[in-house]
Amino acid sequence: MITLSVNKKTYQLDVDPNMPLLWAIRDVIGLTGTKYGCGAAQCGACMVHLNGEAVFSCVTPVSRAVGQQVITIEGLSAGNDHPLQLAWQELDVPQCGYCHSGQLMSAAVLLRENPNPTDEDIDQAMAGNICRCGTYSRIRKAIHHAAELQKNGK
Amino acid sequence: MPTNSLSRRKFLQLSSLSGTALCLGYYFPLSADAAQILNASAEAAETEIELNAWISINTSGKVTIFSHRAEMGQGAFQAIPQIVAEELAVVLKEVNILFAPGDNRKYGSQITGGSSTVRSSYKNLLKLGATAREMLTEAASTKWGVSKTDCYAEAGHIIHRPTGRKFHYGELVVEASKLKVPENITLKPRSAYQLIGKPLKRQDTPLKTNGAAIFGLDKRIPGMLYASVERNPRLRGKVKSFDDTAARKVPGVKDVFLVKMKVFNTDREGIAVVANSTWAAFQGRKALKVEWDDSGFEHVNSEDIFRQHKEILETREGISFRKTGDPDPILKQGGQKIDALYQTPYQAHACMEPLNCIAHYQGDKLEIWGPIQGPDWVQDYLSEEMGLKRENVIVNMTFLGGGFGRKAFMDYPYEATLISKQIGGPVQVVWTREDDLNQGPFRPGVSYRCEGMVANGEISAFKVRMAGQNIDHFSDDKRGEANSSATEGFLESYFAHLKNVSFADVPFETPIPIMWWRSVYASTNGFAFESFLDELALAAGKDPLEFRRVHLQEERLQQLINKLEAVSGWKSRKKNEGYGTAITECFGSYAGYVVKVSRNAENKVQIDQVWAVMDCGWYVNPDTIRAQVEGSVIMALGAATIHEVTFKDGLAEANNFYTYHMPRITDAPLVEIHVMENEADAGGVGEPGLPPFAPALTNAIFDLTGKRIRNLPFDLTSV
Ligand code: FES
Ligand code: FES
């Protein structure tokens, strides 16, 4: 049995300790906001927070998350109102939307660590997340917008 | 939070529409010519047609609109309701949107391809909204005993102008549903639109910022198992034997068996591993020992393919596709002649959401859930393959994590069906990224031999021969005919001006499975034609934009060229700046680009800015157009400078994103987008922005460096 804390809830899972966290979250716990894109730490669709750090859940064995705080896109905010979520909605960033759980989880760490990111900071922090629909210019704009919202205490 | 009104729960609640309601939809009789609007309660009963409405308004006034097209990022989920709500006079936010299941008798063609959603349906959708509004107005005027002309519709209410009395739609649906569908509906003029033409927010965005949107891979059915299939990595090879002893020992693995199916008129064989989680299925696959049988198949290599293209283009005339005058005698004369070979690679669709599909086969019935571009195609195809009644094949839509043409093909729902049949229960078949990149079908690689002559500053002869696989053959064997897309992307207006022009297809085949890829042949044709136009302009000693202005006399294109010139500062360009332009036509829309490049501090070529001018004629949402152009630039940039699928010994070498690299945020250039306003009919939006980007970029690079790029992809950092 593996005990996991995901979005502040505790789960008991009967899974192989080597199962990647991604599949434990999606197929066993049933939270499908975290996406599979490559399974190889290449695309960032599977990004979650492990004790506040952005990790590729597709290459993180579930055993590594034991005793840690896992936050997924479903737990980023209670009301879909994290400054980044509001900015994403304001600028209609997603197209197909498949990559954006991961994009938001990466951006959330950036914005926490660097409340005033430049374009270069954004590019660097977001380079691990692929968007096949090509929403990159809106991602940049939305992160700047979210930084404003965060400053104004939204 | 108001923007989040469209929660997942609401979608589910709505799946059982019941009670009294006004339901209007089109009926598309198979043989008759005109689609007909029917009123579900009154007329459908008479004609014994079960009508699944496009609009349905219930007694509480709740409006539900069925989106009959896939939402794969291109904005159909927004555009369809935005059109209907305009004439129906309802607040868009208060409208619920559901995906319609596959059924082309009810919804007409549902294939999301050819950038056709708006352009093929907007007239019907406007009429549908207006018809419902008229019926509600008539019901209200009868209830009040007043003249219909004194009543008007606004924000989900019918209002009596002289007294200000109002009914909300819910209070009228019972009466309205008993009325006959009126004919001769008057539609609003574009100038009176309140929703259409406005950059309204997408209704699906909030679902895509908190993980609530359900993509195919997120769908769950009670009792569902997961499966993954080890297919012969050699395209179209077979299984000789396999040993599943180790695979069956993987915890969670339930079953392992051979799946055989027809794909592209040949067999595809693989070993399915069924398990209680996706990961267990993947692990089971890794533990398989399979011996493949590749006999009888050509083991293709990319180098050979492109060498053969070149050979046949040098020695054969091919099948003529379109010809005006005769360029050949002119090309034999002396003068300013150019003879150039352009080559474009095979590409993968690489949708962010890998292919997947749920099937639940139940003997006389089959239910499908998945990210599907053509649910009606899947319904037709599977009912035929499985010998089931059409109405017993239910194809449910989910959001698509990208499509780009790949998810219009029926192989993955079919494969899921065979696996479900074998295990006797519901199953979700998941493709890995590796499967997605190395199994195809791919965009075909195409080579073009372009010959041209200029005289007196204009083109006197223009001759193109293409060699590349023909997608037409896969639906219907059309060997012996020229590729029907040989001129796709080339502006019709050139034909009006050019006196001696010819396009021909030199047939070329390989066993590589191919398929439409965003903007189809325009994505490769556009590069060859618009680069070559640039070569001819320079040979004629003309400015490339001016040269196009002379050759493209159509008013819309003149306007587009003026706009491009004005916004890009084309005329005031400075030294050490390279400017390039290209204009193409795709699915009824015109797109023109100017790209500006320069050398950075490390002497590497960089893209400083991109200007795009889109002329889609009648359009719904300018922000959707912008988003589609932004995305097209990135996708085109990737295909031109970053990735390609190569083949070696019959294997696709693309494996995962570490071999098939993707453009990333660090590659995204600055793009400024302008949308033309005119009275032209609606054109496509999702694809037309893609084809002109690559030639505008390489034309700019030529302008800066004098280096002509004729082969894609090329490395931008080493130009
Ligand atoms: S799925 Fe984890 S990085 Fe792509
Ligand atoms: S929005 Fe489609 S992959 Fe990013």
Side-chain angles (χ1 to χ4, degrees), chain B residues 470-483:
Chain B
N470 186 345
I471 301 171
D472 295 350
H473 293 171
F474 288 111
S475 47
D476 191 357
D477 195 328
K478 297 212 173 97
R479 265 154 257 251
E481 286 176 39
N483 187 322

Side-chain angles (χ1 to χ4, degrees), chain A residues 71-149:
Chain A
I71 302 290
T72 70
I73 184 70
E74 290 92 343
L76 184 62
S77 71
N80 206 356
D81 56 0
H82 184 286
L84 285 162
Q85 290 169 315
L86 296 177
W88 250 239
Q89 290 155 17
E90 182 61 32
L91 297 177
D92 264 343
V93 177
Q95 288 184 26
C96 83
Y98 193 79
C99 70
H100 282 289
S101 300
Q103 304 279 4
L104 283 158
M105 296 312 275
S106 293
V109 173
L110 166 70
L111 211 57
R112 190 192 63 214
E113 300 297 316
N114 181 353
N116 251 324
T118 61
D119 274 352
E120 289 73 47
D121 297 336
I122 293 173
D123 279 13
Q124 212 172 20
M126 302 301 293
N129 289 80
I130 294 173
C131 175
R132 181 54 158 160
C133 300
T135 60
Y136 298 128
S137 60
R138 287 188 193 219
I139 290 173
R140 266 189 217 132
K141 274 189 212 136
I143 292 176
H144 287 305
H145 185 54
E148 286 300 312
L149 293 177

